[in-house]
Amino acid sequence: MIKITLPDGAVREYESGVTALEIAKSISEGLARKVLAANVNGQVWDATRPITTDATLKLLTWTDTDGKSTFWHSSAHLMAEAVEALYPGVKFWVGPAVDNGFYYDMDLGGRQITDEDLRKLETKMAELAKQNEAYRRKEISKAEAIKYFSDKGDEYKLDLLENLQDGSITFYTQGAFTDLCRGPHIPTTGFIKAVRLTNIAGAYWKGDEKNKQLTRVYGVTFPSQKELDEYDVMIEEARRLDHRKLGKELGIFTFDDQVGPGLPLWMPNGAVIIEQLERLAKETEERAGYKRVVTPNIAKESMYITSGHLPYYADSMFPPMELEGEKYYLKSMNCPHHHKIFAAEQKSYKDLPYRLAEYGTCYRYEQSGELFGLMRVRCLHMNDAHIYCTKEQFYDEFRAVNEMYLKYFQIFGIDKYVMRFSTHEPGKLGKKYIDEPGLWKETEDLVRDVLIRSGIPYVEVPDEAAFYGPKIDVQIWSAIGREFTLATNQVDFAQGRRFKLEFTTGDNQTDTPLIIHRAPLGTHERFIGFLLEHYAGKFPVWLAPLQVKILPITDKSLEYAQSLLVSLKNADIRVEVDDRSDKIGKKIRDTELAKVPYMLVVGEKEMNENKVAVRRQGKGDLGVQGIEEFIAQVQKEIKERVPNP
């Protein structure tokens, strides 16, 4: 018999070889019908895979992130089966689950897939799903796997096999489709009740522009038609509020082919938003004891070798430049520069915690197929900071960073969020992660302790840590329900030693500080993209590029409008006058479309009484006010950063 420990601490005994699905049935038939996969001793497994030793077990359903990811991974295999049925001879590269569905990269042998073909594939997928075929896992030797794909002439899977170790290779089969895959998968195709293939894109093999371009088909599936219908409504709303569309309409940012892909140009309205976000961050960080620094946008190769970013991070960095016999890289992260600033002056324990902050410009070489508006760019401005502290100070410092996130959430009206606690995978030490098993355990325990004691909602995700330590990725949801990764809060136990960072302890010894990497507002690019969709372009007064528009009814009140303009500007309010000769109705409509928070309509009556008729974007007429009263009201909204009504 083996002992199975459930999430509530209950321990049950079962015969060795029992599956998670069988355990679910022993608890409740209704529960078993919902189980998609299982977390066994911290790893996600097939619900049908035998458990042969004592284990902790969490049953995963559609409401669990890992359950949903497994569902979508299995759906990618189902799509591949449908593609293979309609396009014999197709070859597949990789087909992972992503944040909102899945994709599969494929070589169609020169054939093209159209939107009409997607509908045919959806029909075929629905037909195959109804057959309720099991996803069957098979361990296979490397030699057998190589023979299988050699016989098929599949160079893509053979390439994947080159980096796999014998004894770690598995095939998965459902229906007529077999694939090289480590899994896990849902029990049967019958769980997939609704299918939507969303779009077609090109993707270079291995992400290398020198390689052949494959066809990438994206999709999403659901366990019920109702959820697909809700998804369709959300997607339609998302199209209407797409930050790329709103950014163009509101003059926030633009891209230009001669500047280059992924390199946004911030227009005057966008620059205002950037300045306000920086002001908020600087005020917050100054109160929290941060010191502001500025670092260059390039550095020698040797610094990134010392930091460990080379070779771990090389694929995300722009190619080096040669200068005077030295290689220089564009800065892809601020941390090594900050470490050099810490090391420039001798430190004692009295100087810690030592907090350095910078809105630094970084450059990342995102693949062209992965660029997406402001969400995936090659030039980014990061609300970055690094905290150097002792182990005894860690709890308070890490908690303070998390509390800073919560304060920002309140300011921006972010009601739904979760912290993704990313840990390492022990089997990848020395490859993907720094080979320090003791330090990994120690720092992960420290982070877990902060999250538990703070009562902050979090989920633990294995094998997603930074190479130098565990991290928290902050997931937030916009007002229309779209999920974004906002920022990160990382623990670093490696770079302090790599850069020989030291401080003198109270007993006159030397020690190396722990380092916390944090970026509560992420980057200008991603955060403004999020805010455009979150607010539907209707920024709160303090953040709006233009806060007030004065609308004279006729030319007779134009001089009065200009005097109001001066008064509002002197009160540090961003304001313009619409001096066009159009009728007032058109001026109001145009200002509404421009999403300016306040309109001041002025005619002869308002001019004679030294007042203004106030309109609020989306709210309509608020009545007549004295200009001093109105200015005081707007200044209060700006100072207190009042959210939208």
Side-chain angles (χ1 to χ4, degrees), residues 241 243 246 273 277 374-375 408 411-414 476 478-479 484 486 521 523-540 542-543 644:
L241 301 180
H243 78 278
L246 289 171
I273 298 172
L277 291 176
L374 293 178
M375 299 305 176
Y408 286 144
I411 290 172
F412 295 104
I414 298 169
I476 58 176
S478 69
F484 293 79
L486 169 63
L521 294 179
T523 66
H524 290 327
E525 289 72 18
R526 178 174 286 270
F527 193 49
I528 291 175
F530 165 79
L531 290 177
L532 276 164
E533 299 187 10
H534 182 59
Y535 292 132
K538 301 173 185 178
F539 290 98
W542 71 273
L543 197 53
N644 280 329

Side-chain angles (χ1 to χ4, degrees), residues 335-463:
C335 41
H337 298 74
H338 290 188
H339 302 336
K340 290 294 187 181
I341 291 174
F342 179 93
E345 299 174 336
Q346 188 172 351
K347 302 289 188 302
S348 83
Y349 69 97
K350 294 180 180 180
D351 297 310
L352 273 55
Y354 193 76
R355 310 178 187 98
L356 297 179
E358 176 181 18
Y359 247 115
T361 303
C362 297
Y363 299 86
R364 306 270 173 88
Y365 185 67
E366 300 284 359
Q367 299 296 328
S368 57
E370 296 174 339
L371 298 174
F372 178 70
L374 293 178
M375 299 305 176
R376 294 292 292 269
V377 293
R378 289 175 171 169
C379 175
L380 39 100
H381 301 81
M382 189 176 296
N383 170 224
D384 210 358
H386 297 87
I387 302 169
Y388 304 83
C389 65
T390 66
K391 290 178 185 176
E392 293 74 23
Q393 294 167 335
F394 177 83
Y395 176 84
D396 287 334
E397 292 301 310
F398 203 80
R399 183 184 64 183
V401 171
N402 287 340
E403 288 174 351
M404 188 181 289
Y405 283 109
L406 300 181
K407 177 186 175 182
Y408 286 144
F409 294 164
Q410 186 176 18
I411 290 172
F412 295 104
I414 298 169
D415 299 320
K416 185 179 179 183
Y417 60 89
V418 69
M419 307 288 189
R420 282 172 59 90
F421 174 29
S422 299
T423 58
H424 78 299
E425 171 58 51
K428 297 182 181 178
L429 290 175
K431 299 173 184 175
K432 184 176 179 181
Y433 304 110
I434 297 290
D435 191 6
E436 295 279 1
L439 287 173
W440 276 106
K441 183 180 187 311
E442 181 180 20
T443 51
E444 287 175 356
D445 287 346
L446 285 170
V447 174
R448 194 178 291 108
D449 178 57
V450 175
L451 291 169
I452 292 171
R453 289 166 62 187
S454 301
I456 293 174
Y458 79 96
V459 294
E460 193 161 327
V461 184
D463 198 21

